[in-house]
Amino acid sequence: MSSIRFRPTAEDERILREASRPGESTSDTLHQALRLLDHEPWLEQFHADAERLKDEDVNAEPEAW
């Protein structure tokens, strides 16, 4: 895989500055951001399921075993 390069805008640089933890490189910050983006669809589904099931009463259902 080849290296990915980009020229950050002033806004990109601000976001990287604010998102970086002490001692973390820009690459580390971008890696973390990519993992969060990958996790986002799962999180959205979790919230949708939680909203759909918020009134479900599992105690009212018969035991499965």
Side-chain angles (χ1 to χ4, degrees), residues 23-49:
E24 187 175 64
S25 70
T26 301
S27 291
D28 293 337
T29 303
L30 291 172
H31 285 285
Q32 180 65 19
L34 288 171
R35 281 161 186 73
L36 288 170
L37 283 172
D38 188 50
H39 185 68
E40 193 171 315
W42 179 90
L43 195 54
E44 288 173 0
Q45 184 63 52
F46 167 80
H47 286 290
D49 290 344

Side-chain angles (χ1 to χ4, degrees), residues 47-62:
H47 286 290
D49 290 344
E51 180 63 27
R52 181 175 50 82
L53 299 172
K54 70 179 178 184
D55 295 323
E56 182 180 46
D57 182 4
V58 294
N59 291 319
E61 296 183 18

